[in-house]
Amino acid sequence: MVTGRQVRALLDAGLSTELIRAVLPCARGEAPEFDLCVDLRAILGREPAATDEQIGTLRRSRGTLAGYLSPTTGPSS
């Protein structure tokens, strides 16, 4: 049986609702003590690398935005 606590825990971990929908049939127990079936373990195993990639993208975006706001490259230069 799916619980709101399971869904909330997976959302808090950064999973999309689409991914949560796919893994919930495999999630047993309450977070953080899910019983990880093979499918869920495989899916969650890929997420740290995907999160690292997103962090890198966000850092590059932040750097670009900060550069636009820099006094040496801003519109008043």
Side-chain angles (χ1 to χ4, degrees):
M1 179 173 153
V2 175
T3 69
R5 290 175 77 181
Q6 288 172 320
V7 173
R8 173 56 41 208
L10 294 169
L11 283 169
D12 288 347
L15 299 182
S16 69
T17 54
E18 182 178 325
L19 188 54
I20 291 171
R21 187 177 307 113
V23 302
L24 271 179
C26 194
R28 304 278 186 266
E30 292 293 324
E33 309 218 359
F34 284 119
D35 178 21
L36 300 179
C37 68
V38 173
D39 290 340
L40 181 54
R41 185 174 297 281
I43 290 168
L44 295 180
R46 292 188 295 265
E47 287 305 300
T51 300
D52 288 342
E53 187 175 317
Q54 290 174 332
I55 290 169
T57 299
L58 289 170
R59 283 186 174 149
R60 286 188 296 279
S61 295
R62 185 184 187 288
T64 299
L65 291 170
Y68 293 152
L69 297 173
S70 171
T72 60
T73 60
S76 60
S77 305

